[in-house]
């Protein structure tokens, strides 16, 4: 039987436009859902909107709209945003839908039948932005401990849910299911929280109307968190479609931000226990995207609009950044510079170049046809990469899973330098077929493994390898050897043109073709007449110029003009380079200096030291200046 996999995001409040903090959760859930589909599982991925409550009612009132008219507009904007980001949710649930209102009312009936609901008086504090009740002792300087905002005093009649009854069973469940709350730091917080004792929870309000009336007492409106959490079972078919419900419930993963773990790991399971329903398998509380050390949030007004980023950089770049930049679970700072750097280094340089170099070499050396190999050097690492991605995603280590794929890309790029296929070609070495096949097959496997994360790149890689699109590819296709010899490559445009910032564009008006914006690029890559005084763009591209950082420098014994440099090129092992700059630079002053290295120069032995590359410098009659990037760049950055 096909395995099934259910994953949810929080349902978002449609009180304002969503920002990249919300996109962060949704894109991560999307990647996990896509990964399970790639494995051939029957996936149910649901997101939606949490539309009731005082916050929405207040907000709509302020702009003179009815609550439903107000949320309708924002909800359609949210749906559009998820389309823009390529979110593959199977359902979109709105808490204002009749299917959900019926379920919430039935839940209240069942809680009462179980003896878990009673009428009393709530006296305490309420934070409307967080829709949370707080007892006096939990407030921080009189404010909400979650958002830091002001709280209001409430004194109203309310139904209570006997949460206190479930403290023990919950603790037992958490202790015997170590994977239930993740990461482990949040699990420990929750254990501590429950050990302090749970008070019964107020689950209805009477001071506003925008919500679901309790069937037993319609003056009372269901507490918005009970309403919201119930969405997960409504979406799976609870009380509507028993077969579907038993298939998709319990959820495998509730993915949420860390500030709402408490609702998902305490209140929600207690409600489910009361309803005699199975508990979700994992509640994962990820960290926050921060802007200048503060949580990005609508109430603070420090938000970044994901739509604008997609327009500027494309959705693959935005998805890649969100998935890769911050170790999943931790907080991380958002900066646009980091997004640009990630795109330029990982996507444009590493992945984009690997594809264009590989297809270019196959065109030039084997007539555009994937050759038939005799043996493989990259197979081991490719197979290991598939295992790593599976293992890391199973543990929801999204960023680490993406990183594993890019390790393979880096390895393949390095393999080109090591094997220098152009030399194998020149000398008629039959190993050329092995090397080119290794590269193309690693790229194909990379494309399959990237399918959960990126939407356009896997298809583009497949197309350029002559394989059509990658839509039908499954994880099983990541097995080594799937690429048929004889396939004809179809070399195309660079899949990730480097992002040039405006500042860079001003400083380098004559930027090389592959770095130029799209329009100029089309002109620049048009065939150029070959003449003795010029080189073709392909010839230029054979030069592998890279930024390196000098780690240490020392004099070469018996040679006045030579220094031996150890240069970090981001390859792990530093490179040894011998350079004739000893008359102009003191060795100890060079550590940390960035240089540009011709990285694919044939190694040469100079005064007994093997030099792997040559650094660039300008020389006049009386000075010599090393060429350095104006601003530091990551070691290994390609110069184009
Ligand atoms: N409606 C409730 C959730 C109910 S679930 C049954 C809610 N909605 S929300 O619109 O405020 O969205 C909160 C969620 O958005 C967070 O839990 C997190 O998943 C995501 N994020 C919002 N801001 C974020 C960051 N700055 N960083 C990371 N995620 C963030 O709470």
């Amino acid at each position: 039987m096909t395995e099934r996999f259910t994953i949810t995001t929080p349902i978002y409040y449609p009180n304002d436009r969503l920002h990249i903090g919300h996109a962060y959760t949704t894109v991560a859930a999307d990647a996990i859902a896509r990964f399970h589909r790639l494995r051939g599982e029957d996936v149910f991925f649901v997101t939606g909107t949490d539309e009731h409550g005082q916050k929405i009612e207040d907000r709509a009132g302020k702009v003179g709209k009815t609550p439903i008219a107000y949320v309708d507009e924002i909800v359609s904007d949210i749906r559009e945003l998820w389309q823009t980001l390529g979110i593959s949710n199977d359902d979109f649930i709105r808490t204002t839908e009749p299917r959900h209102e019926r379920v919430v009312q039935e839940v209240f009936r069942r809680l009462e039948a179980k003896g878990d609901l009673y009428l009393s008086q709530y006296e305490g504090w309420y934070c409307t932005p967080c829709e949370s009740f707080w007892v006096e002792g939990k407030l921080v300087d009189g404010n909400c401990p979650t958002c830091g905002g002001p709280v209001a005093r409430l004194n109203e009649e309310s139904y209570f849910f006997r949460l206190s009854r479930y403290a023990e069973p919950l603790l037992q469940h958490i202790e015997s299911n170590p994977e239930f709350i993740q990461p482990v730091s949040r699990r420990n917080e929750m254990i501590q929280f429950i050990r302090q004792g749970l008070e019964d929870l107020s689950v209805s309000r009477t001071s506003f109307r925008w919500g679901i009336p309790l069937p037993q007492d319609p003056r009372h409106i269901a507490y918005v968190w009970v309403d919201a959490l119930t969405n997960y079972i409504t979406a799976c078919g609870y009380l509507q479609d028993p077969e579907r419900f038993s298939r998709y419930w319990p959820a495998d993963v509730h993915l949420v931000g860390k500030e709402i773990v408490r609702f998902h790991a305490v209140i929600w399971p207690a409600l489910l226990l009361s309803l005699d329903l199975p508990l979700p398998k994992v509640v994962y509380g990820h960290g926050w995207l921060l802007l200048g050390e503060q949580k990005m949030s609508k109430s603070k007004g420090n938000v970044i609009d994901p739509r604008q980023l997609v327009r500027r950089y494309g959705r693959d770049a935005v998805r890649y950044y969100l998935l890769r930049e911050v170790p999943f679970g931790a907080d991380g700072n958002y900066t646009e510079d980091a997004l640009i750097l990630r795109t330029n280094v990982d996507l444009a340089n590493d992945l984009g170049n690997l594809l264009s170099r590989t297809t270019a070499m196959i065109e030039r050396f084997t007539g555009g046809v994937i050759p038939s190999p005799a043996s493989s050097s990259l197979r081991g690492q490719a197979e290991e990469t598939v295992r790593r991605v599976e293992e890391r995603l199973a543990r929801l280590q999204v960023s680490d899973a993406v990183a594993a794929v890019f390790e393979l890309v880096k390895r393949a790029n390095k393999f080109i330098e090591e094997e220098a296929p152009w030399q194998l070609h020149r000398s008629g070495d039959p190993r050329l077929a092995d090397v080119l096949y290794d590269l193309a097959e690693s790229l194909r496997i990379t494309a399959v493994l990237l399918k959960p994360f990126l939407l356009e790149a896997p298809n583009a890689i497949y197309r350029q390898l002559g394989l059509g699109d990658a839509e039908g590819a499954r994880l099983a296709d990541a097995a080594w050897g799937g690429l048929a010899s004889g396939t004809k490559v179809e070399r195309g445009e660079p899949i990730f043109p480097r992002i040039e910032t405006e500042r860079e564009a001003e400083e380098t008006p004559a930027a090389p073709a592959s770095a130029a914006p799209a329009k100029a690029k089309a002109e620049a890559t048009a065939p150029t007449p070959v003449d003795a005084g010029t080189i073709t763009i392909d010839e230029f591209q054979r030069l592998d110029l890279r930024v390196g950082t000098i780690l240490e420098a020392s004099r070469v014994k018996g040679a006045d003009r030579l220094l031996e440099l150890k240069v970090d090129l981001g390859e792990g092992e530093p490179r040894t380079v011998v350079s004739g700059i000893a008359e102009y630079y003191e060795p100890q002053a060079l550590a940390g200096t960035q240089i540009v290295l011709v990285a694919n120069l044939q190694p040469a032995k100079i005064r007994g030291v093997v030099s792997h590359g040559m650094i660039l410098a300008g020389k006049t009659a009386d000075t010599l200046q090393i060429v350095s990037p104006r601003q530091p760049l990551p070691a290994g950055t390609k110069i184009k």
Side-chain angles (χ1 to χ4, degrees):
M1 206 177 83
T2 329
E3 289 237 11
R4 64 92 181 146
F5 182 81
T6 298
I7 183 165
T8 68
T9 72
I11 49 171
Y12 302 103
Y13 291 125
N15 61 326
D16 218 329
R17 299 190 92 197
L18 300 191
H19 55 73
I20 58 164
H22 305 104
Y24 180 70
T25 313
T26 314
V27 168
D30 181 64
I32 297 165
R34 283 175 184 270
F35 174 71
H36 284 267
R37 287 194 201 103
L38 194 68
R39 279 166 109 173
E41 292 170 23
D42 172 11
V43 171
F44 183 60
F45 166 28
V46 59
T47 187
T49 39
D50 181 359
E51 306 187 8
H52 292 129
Q54 189 171 0
K55 170 159 68 175
I56 302 278
E57 189 179 273
D58 289 354
R59 190 68 195 252
K62 267 196 197 119
V63 293
K65 290 192 177 158
T66 61
I68 192 70
Y70 181 74
V71 296
D72 273 351
E73 257 176 54
I74 298 182
V75 169
S76 68
D77 186 68
I78 293 174
R79 285 177 187 271
E80 220 178 277
L81 172 63
W82 297 153
Q83 263 186 2
T84 306
L85 284 164
I87 303 303
S88 63
N89 53 302
D90 300 291
D91 195 355
F92 186 100
I93 181 161
R94 301 182 56 175
T95 53
T96 48
E97 288 173 73
R99 62 165 168 163
H100 179 65
E101 300 193 343
R102 276 199 300 272
V103 170
V104 172
Q105 293 199 321
E106 185 57 28
V107 162
F108 272 91
R109 277 192 205 102
R110 292 184 182 207
L111 295 180
E112 187 176 32
K114 194 72 188 281
D116 281 342
L117 201 66
Y118 63 91
L119 187 62
S120 183
Q121 189 76 13
Y122 177 78
E123 245 203 279
W125 298 93
Y126 196 77
C127 171
T128 304
C130 297
E131 301 282 16
S132 298
F133 296 98
W134 294 107
V135 292
E136 180 97 27
K138 292 271 187 223
L139 300 182
V140 176
D141 299 331
N143 289 322
C144 169
T146 303
C147 71
V151 287
R153 183 86 195 158
L154 293 190
N155 190 350
E156 60 186 48
E157 187 186 89
S158 176
Y159 282 87
F160 282 77
F161 167 61
R162 289 190 202 281
L163 184 61
S164 55
R165 232 192 210 179
Y166 293 95
E168 259 320 300
L170 257 178
L171 269 179
Q172 267 172 28
H173 183 81
I174 296 172
E175 267 151 19
S176 49
N177 293 277
E179 71 299 329
F180 177 53
I181 305 173
Q182 296 184 41
V184 71
S185 54
R186 317 257 187 264
R187 176 171 186 266
N188 294 338
E189 278 165 28
M190 287 305 116
I191 292 178
Q192 242 187 348
F193 178 79
I194 301 170
R195 280 207 184 123
Q196 286 167 10
L198 297 179
E199 292 189 19
D200 288 348
L201 177 73
S202 165
V203 289
S204 74
R205 303 275 315 268
T206 51
S207 48
F208 67 91
R209 292 309 301 160
W210 180 235
I212 303 174
L214 300 202
Q216 47 274 86
D217 188 347
R219 291 174 304 129
H220 284 256
I221 297 296
Y223 173 38
V224 67
W225 267 101
V226 174
D227 172 348
L229 289 161
T230 304
N231 96 83
Y232 299 129
I233 50 176
T234 305
C236 289
Y238 184 53
L239 305 175
Q240 312 142 67
D241 184 342
E243 209 176 303
R244 225 169 76 79
F245 186 62
S246 65
R247 179 150 190 79
Y248 293 118
W249 187 261
D252 292 273
V253 180
H254 284 323
L255 193 62
V256 301
K258 64 181 183 183
E259 81 288 3
I260 59 172
V261 169
R262 189 167 57 93
F263 295 95
H264 286 80
V266 180
I267 297 176
W268 180 225
L271 287 167
L272 289 167
L273 286 174
S274 175
L275 295 167
D276 294 315
L277 291 176
L279 307 193
K281 292 184 192 149
V282 172
V283 172
Y284 191 99
H286 65 66
W288 289 337
L289 273 191
L290 311 172
L291 198 69
E293 311 300 323
Q294 272 205 329
K295 176 172 185 258
M296 195 177 291
S297 78
K298 291 173 279 204
S299 58
K300 296 199 182 85
N302 61 343
V303 297
I304 301 287
D305 181 359
R307 303 156 193 85
Q308 207 179 21
L309 294 182
V310 170
R311 271 197 300 279
R312 245 185 245 163
Y313 304 117
R315 70 175 174 188
D316 271 5
V318 174
R319 285 177 65 105
Y320 182 72
Y321 173 76
L322 292 175
L323 294 167
R324 172 70 183 88
E325 185 70 9
V326 183
F328 208 58
D331 289 351
N333 232 325
Y334 166 82
T335 72
E336 191 158 336
D337 282 352
L339 191 161
I340 294 175
L341 197 68
R342 279 268 168 226
T343 309
N344 284 346
V345 174
D346 298 1
L347 299 180
N349 269 347
D350 289 352
L351 180 61
N353 275 346
L354 179 63
L355 179 65
S356 62
R357 290 164 97 191
T358 301
T359 50
M361 289 189 294
I362 292 172
E363 274 193 348
R364 275 225 308 273
F365 304 149
T366 57
V369 172
I370 307 277
S372 186
S375 72
S376 166
S377 306
L378 295 184
R379 178 179 186 152
Q381 175 146 3
E383 289 173 345
E384 178 59 27
T385 304
V386 179
R387 272 195 296 277
R388 272 189 206 156
V389 170
E390 279 207 88
E391 197 182 281
R392 291 175 186 182
L393 276 179
R395 283 191 263 133
L396 304 176
Q397 297 170 341
V398 181
S399 163
D400 293 344
V402 183
V405 184
F406 279 80
E407 287 300 311
L408 177 62
V409 171
K410 281 203 185 80
R411 176 71 196 104
N413 273 317
K414 193 159 174 240
F415 186 62
I416 298 181
E417 309 315 328
E418 289 165 1
E419 298 294 330
W422 43 92
Q423 282 172 17
L424 300 176
H425 175 63
R426 220 176 294 134
S427 59
D429 191 324
R431 283 199 354 90
L432 178 66
D434 300 351
V435 171
L436 294 181
Y437 186 88
D438 265 355
L439 293 171
E441 180 59 339
S442 298
L443 267 164
R444 190 189 64 83
I445 290 170
T446 296
V448 176
L449 294 179
L450 284 178
K451 278 186 66 179
F453 312 115
L454 305 182
L455 306 181
E456 282 136 36
N459 286 329
I461 297 172
Y462 254 55
R463 273 197 293 274
Q464 295 207 20
L465 291 174
L467 299 170
D469 73 36
E471 292 305 332
R474 292 281 168 272
L475 193 62
D477 298 311
W480 187 270
L483 180 59
S485 308
T487 308
K488 190 131 180 39
V489 302
E490 290 168 24
R491 201 167 168 222
E493 287 284 296
I495 53 172
F496 288 104
R498 207 182 112 79
I499 299 166
E500 260 192 293
T501 59
E502 278 161 37
R503 195 186 53 219
E504 279 175 339
E506 276 165 23
E507 284 171 6
T508 53
S514 55
K519 192 164 65 65
K521 199 172 55 196
E523 292 159 17
T525 45
T528 325
V530 181
D531 96 32
T534 60
I535 60 167
T536 64
I537 189 71
D538 276 354
E539 282 168 320
F540 171 76
Q541 276 172 352
R542 288 190 52 204
L543 268 182
D544 189 21
L545 298 177
R546 290 194 184 258
V547 175
T549 308
I550 298 178
L551 301 174
E552 57 182 72
S554 55
R555 293 188 186 279
V556 175
K557 267 200 206 101
D560 292 343
R561 297 189 322 165
L562 298 181
L563 291 184
E564 179 180 334
L565 311 174
K566 297 284 182 215
V567 178
D568 175 18
L569 268 196
E571 297 167 321
E573 270 286 292
R575 288 227 191 172
T576 301
V577 175
V578 176
S579 181
I581 56 175
E583 294 165 281
Y584 304 93
Y585 290 94
E586 280 304 312
Q588 60 275 21
L590 282 172
T593 303
Q594 287 214 302
I595 48 90
V596 174
L597 190 82
V598 184
N600 59 347
L601 195 68
Q602 249 182 8
K605 206 171 198 176
I606 306 169
R607 294 284 176 124
V609 183
V610 182
S611 176
H612 298 266
M614 178 175 81
I615 69 166
L616 299 187
K619 189 165 190 278
T620 64
D622 46 19
T623 182
L624 178 143
Q625 290 293 324
I626 289 174
V627 174
S628 268
R630 291 191 61 169
Q631 302 285 340
L633 285 169
T637 303
K638 190 159 169 61
I639 305 284
K640 302 199 277 190

